[in-house]
Amino acid sequence: MRMQQMCSGSETQGSIQSQQGTGSHGSNACCFCWCCCCSCSCLTVRNQEDQRPGRASYELRTDIPACEESPTPTLEEVCAWAQSFDNLMVTPAGRNAFREFLRTEFSEENMLFWMACEELKREANQSTIEEKAKIIYEDYISVLSPKEVSLDSRVREGINKNMVDPSQHIFDDAQLQIYTLMHRDSYPRFMNSTVYKDLLKSLAEKAVEA
């Protein structure tokens, strides 16, 4: 009961706007992350692959981005994650916790793709944009990749056409589709998971001791 009272007393105003850029963090931030092991799925090959631009021979990238550095979240912040998916995604600590949960469901690639798109949108150099867009395509859009995300044919075809001259926003429609998928499908389960409940319990106990 004490934990529920603390959460109810920490409500924040409004919902953070969807698809907000990743949050910044101070130089004195301590690392709040979990072990990042690679999740994998079955390798699928489809006939559309002949439409895929890029390398003649596909090279599997096995490097997984490390978790983001962030301050340890406060009890109020963790309670706010339950108020909206936007509140969860706007903070590095929230994304780290959600990413740990997605790893248990073998769908971490959804978060990795979303984060890669956010990074791409901050780029200004065209040659860097082209290189990063190619990497994102091969890692998350190509039907040969074990980290392929689930996109509808309309979005996939639009990306294929625009890969000739990619911009920072080439994956915007795909990013929104994956964001919506995580919101509707994974987020409710995350709120009932041991990942979230254990973190909430730990912070609540520390607050009581203080």
Side-chain angles (χ1 to χ4, degrees):
M1 293 300 293
R2 181 179 293 273
M3 189 186 308
Q4 295 176 351
Q5 292 172 356
M6 289 179 179
C7 283
S8 62
S10 62
E11 292 184 358
T12 57
Q13 296 182 353
S15 171
I16 309 297
Q17 184 179 359
S18 291
Q19 291 297 303
Q20 198 75 343
T22 55
S24 60
H25 42 76
S27 60
N28 61 344
C30 62
C31 181
F32 178 73
C33 61
W34 294 266
C35 174
C36 300
C37 58
C38 177
S39 61
C40 58
S41 58
C42 294
L43 182 66
T44 57
V45 181
R46 300 175 190 166
N47 292 331
Q48 306 107 295
E49 186 56 24
D50 57 357
Q51 303 174 5
R52 178 182 67 87
R55 303 173 186 173
S57 61
Y58 180 77
E59 298 176 9
L60 177 61
R61 291 171 56 86
T62 58
D63 52 315
I64 301 296
C67 292
E68 301 171 85
E69 283 191 358
S70 72
T72 300
T74 64
L75 178 60
E76 290 73 19
E77 287 175 328
V78 175
C79 287
W81 298 349
Q83 296 171 10
S84 76
F85 185 56
D86 297 329
N87 286 350
L88 172 70
M89 290 290 286
V90 79
T91 65
R95 291 189 296 272
N96 283 339
F98 189 50
R99 181 176 166 184
E100 181 192 9
F101 168 74
L102 292 177
R103 192 177 305 125
T104 68
E105 295 203 327
F106 304 99
S107 58
E108 184 184 11
E109 65 275 4
N110 289 333
M111 176 64 81
L112 296 177
F113 171 68
W114 185 89
M115 292 171 62
C117 291
E118 287 295 293
E119 181 179 338
L120 178 65
K121 288 190 286 189
R122 293 193 292 270
E123 283 295 342
N125 181 276
Q126 184 58 33
S127 62
T128 304
I129 290 171
E130 292 176 0
E131 179 63 24
K132 288 190 174 184
K134 185 176 182 180
I135 291 172
I136 292 172
Y137 186 96
E138 293 180 343
D139 280 356
Y140 305 109
I141 308 300
S142 170
V143 296
L144 285 177
S145 174
K147 296 187 291 183
E148 178 196 3
V149 295
S150 179
L151 300 172
D152 63 38
S153 59
R154 177 189 63 83
V155 171
R156 189 178 293 277
E157 288 171 6
I159 293 173
N160 287 337
K161 291 178 182 178
N162 292 326
M163 280 298 293
V164 177
D165 184 24
S167 72
Q168 303 102 310
H169 302 285
I170 183 173
F171 300 113
D172 280 6
D173 288 345
Q175 186 186 24
L176 177 59
Q177 197 166 100
I178 295 303
Y179 189 92
T180 303
L181 175 65
M182 292 190 295
H183 183 187
R184 294 178 178 176
D185 185 56
S186 303
Y187 173 64
R189 292 198 298 274
F190 168 72
M191 296 312 305
N192 289 314
S193 70
T194 56
V195 172
Y196 178 74
K197 290 181 178 179
D198 288 351
L199 177 59
L200 185 64
K201 180 181 178 181
S202 173
L203 293 172
E205 290 174 349
K206 290 179 180 178
V208 171
E209 292 172 359

